[in-house]
Amino acid sequence: MTDSGADLGAISKLQRLVRIPTVSHRDADLIDSEAFHRQTEALAELFPLLHAHLELTRVGDHGLLLHWRGASAERPVVLMAHLDVVPVDEDATWTHPAFDGVVADGFLWGRGTLDDKGCVVGICEAVEQLLARGFTPAQDVWLSFGANEEVFGTDAQDAAAVLRERGVRPWLVLDEGGAVAHDAFPGVTRPVAVVGVAEKGSTSFELRAEGRGGHASMPAKMGPTARIARAVMRLEKSPFPARLPAPTIELFARLAPHAPAALRPLMANAARLAPLLTRALVAAGAEPAALARTTVAVTTLSGSPALNVIASTAKAGVNVRIMPGDTVAGVREHLTKAIHDDHVHLDLAESAEPSPISLYEDEPAFALVERVVAEVYPDAVTAPYVLMGATDSRFFTEICERVYRFAPFRMSKAQRESIHSFDERIGVADFAEGVRWYERFIESLD
């Protein structure tokens, strides 16, 4: 992997944005608004043609919605990304500091390189280059950049409302989500360009147990902490039933020709052999298993404020990623039954149902994405899948039947694991390929 001069010109723009810590928080008092203002100013400076030629609408406090008029408004396209990032765990050991934006060993290191400033700058750089050549897209192109995606904010929802009010019904919406994933499936050596055609719902509950509390020298049985601990273990032992939605079956059918010989018959006949394939996925590890079921993760724990005090209230945060076909109501019922303790209360913190499944079979919009992937990444296999995370694009499903989630960057397994973790990084050459992908996508609209 080499760092050519042309590549560094684009990567330096991403580097500048990475150095601006636009961390979003649920508590508005914790948000550094000045950082978001600096980022908005940096975007205007880095992409002057884009800001000169596209009509800008402000959304929320820091979100941006830009309109690039094309030769036709008949089939408008929306390209999405988000401007905010998650906080950095101060105890995590980064190879290079999270907000220093260091370029080393062929990578740009830093929070937001993959999630999701890489997409922001990739889209803007593609538009800037096309404008420099005097290019006009065949269809209207909208750029939607929310600034509170990581905290379930409303920027994208407000942007979709603006389009609805203006009578704009997108033909295609493209947001973050999938990637050109390397080492994604056991035995498949070719990279897989996974395009999310649906996403799981993201719902959080808080488990809460209460009691008298008191001095740690006189513990009673089944106090709040013990009840919460038992509830957590019961959830661990009660996973949701595993099954394969239609996009996942199609994913394996497309991967079958590239799988080891022993697995090809199973994958090629995924629809008929779904129960067997489902069991194989569950046994293959956390990432494959998440393709096959609604998942439950205990994420936060709290109890006593001191080591010598018995907690009067103990809590556990539970995040559930809901598979299409399941519902928030069904999840609550499953958790309540698994915990089986009337003294543990289940409070809903936030909820989002799984998205509808977008059109992908014999669908020209999906074929366009696939065609551009084949051009820029000829070694990759393109396939639909169900995204395990949540994106801002879920707010656009009410006005568009073709909402896809795909970040056009190569990502290793280690890179995918770095998202929301430490050592997040993007390859310099890989970023240049992603810019080219966005450019070719816009040029290919007809």
Side-chain angles (χ1 to χ4, degrees):
M1 187 178 294
T2 61
D3 301 345
S4 72
D7 293 348
L8 288 174
I11 206 75
S12 65
K13 299 180 181 182
L14 176 55
Q15 183 181 46
R16 181 168 170 186
L17 260 61
V18 168
R19 289 173 173 170
I20 304 174
T22 50
V23 178
S24 55
H25 295 277
R26 295 180 189 276
D27 184 349
D29 292 337
L30 298 176
I31 296 174
D32 182 359
S33 293
E34 179 58 31
F36 282 91
H37 287 310
R38 284 192 285 122
Q39 180 167 254
T40 301
E41 293 172 354
L43 285 168
E45 181 181 334
L46 293 170
F47 304 105
L49 293 177
L50 182 152
H51 283 78
H53 290 270
L54 275 64
E55 177 187 344
L56 171 62
T57 300
R58 299 292 182 125
V59 179
D61 291 333
H62 307 291
L64 307 173
L65 180 64
L66 297 121
H67 182 198
W68 188 8
R69 295 186 184 277
S72 170
E74 183 181 352
R75 295 193 298 177
V77 168
V78 179
L79 300 179
M80 299 182 65
H82 62 87
L83 300 160
D84 59 321
V85 299
V86 296
V88 173
D89 182 352
E90 298 300 330
D91 295 327
T93 304
W94 285 69
T95 301
H96 301 283
F99 294 112
D100 280 11
V102 173
V103 175
D105 304 318
F107 293 89
L108 170 61
W109 302 71
R111 174 63 83 228
T113 49
L114 297 176
D115 185 20
D116 184 33
K117 294 185 180 182
C119 287
V120 172
V121 178
I123 292 168
C124 290
E125 180 68 8
V127 172
E128 190 79 5
Q129 291 182 13
L130 290 169
L131 286 169
R133 300 207 307 263
F135 178 82
T136 299
Q139 301 291 337
D140 278 12
V141 176
W142 295 78
L143 311 183
S144 178
F145 301 145
N148 50 22
E149 189 268 356
E150 297 290 6
V151 293
F152 282 73
T154 61
D155 282 0
Q157 189 173 13
D158 293 342
V162 169
L163 296 186
R164 187 185 298 108
E165 290 166 5
R166 297 184 184 181
V168 177
R169 187 170 182 85
W171 176 66
L172 179 154
V173 173
L174 184 71
D175 197 4
E176 63 167 338
V180 183
H182 289 251
D183 308 315
F185 300 94
V188 178
T189 57
R190 290 181 62 175
V192 185
V194 282
V195 180
V197 296
E199 60 185 55
K200 289 184 172 182
S202 181
T203 294
S204 294
F205 294 89
E206 186 176 72
L207 309 185
R208 176 173 48 86
E210 298 174 340
R212 180 69 179 83
H215 199 286
S217 64
M218 297 177 289
K221 287 186 176 181
M222 292 313 296
T225 52
R227 288 191 180 277
I228 289 297
R230 186 175 68 176
V232 168
M233 293 310 300
R234 284 176 173 175
L235 290 180
E236 185 84 4
K237 295 176 181 178
S238 303
F240 278 79
R243 57 184 171 78
L244 293 184
T248 305
I249 291 174
E250 177 66 16
L251 166 69
F252 284 104
R254 292 188 179 211
L255 292 183
H258 312 285
L263 292 178
R264 285 175 199 164
L266 174 61
M267 295 171 68
N269 296 282
R272 185 167 57 86
L273 302 176
L276 182 59
L277 182 56
T278 300
R279 289 195 294 273
L281 284 174
V282 171
E287 190 173 27
L291 292 171
R293 62 160 51 118
T294 293
T295 59
V296 179
V298 177
T299 53
T300 62
L301 290 168
S302 64
S304 169
L307 290 173
N308 62 346
V309 174
I310 295 172
S312 58
T313 301
K315 299 177 181 179
V318 178
N319 183 254
V320 185
R321 300 301 170 118
I322 307 175
M323 182 78 80
D326 290 341
T327 64
V328 173
V331 165
R332 177 187 280 277
E333 183 180 350
H334 177 97
L335 298 185
T336 300
K337 183 177 180 181
I339 293 169
H340 192 58
D341 186 343
D342 292 339
H343 295 283
V344 175
H345 304 280
L346 196 63
D347 302 324
L348 182 65
E350 58 191 13
S351 68
E353 299 285 358
S355 76
I357 297 176
S358 291
L359 302 172
Y360 65 92
E361 291 185 288
D362 300 319
E363 170 52 51
F366 188 86
L368 170 63
V369 174
E370 188 172 12
R371 189 165 65 249
V372 181
V373 169
E375 179 181 338
V376 179
Y377 300 103
D379 58 329
V381 180
T382 303
Y385 88 124
V386 175
L387 183 67
M388 290 170 270
T391 72
D392 269 344
S393 68
R394 67 188 183 279
F395 294 116
F396 284 74
T397 57
E398 292 183 3
I399 60 173
C400 182
E401 296 177 313
R402 306 166 189 86
V403 177
Y404 305 125
R405 295 95 174 160
F406 177 65
F409 304 116
R410 294 184 187 271
M411 296 185 200
S412 66
K413 190 174 189 294
Q415 284 173 287
R416 299 193 299 278
E417 290 173 345
S418 75
I419 296 173
H420 286 209
S421 183
F422 64 92
D423 277 353
E424 186 178 348
R425 61 200 182 276
I426 190 168
V428 172
D430 299 335
F431 179 68
E433 278 187 307
V435 172
R436 180 167 170 256
W437 191 93
Y438 280 121
E439 191 174 342
R440 288 297 301 128
F441 178 83
I442 296 170
E443 288 178 320
S444 299
L445 299 175
D446 57 25

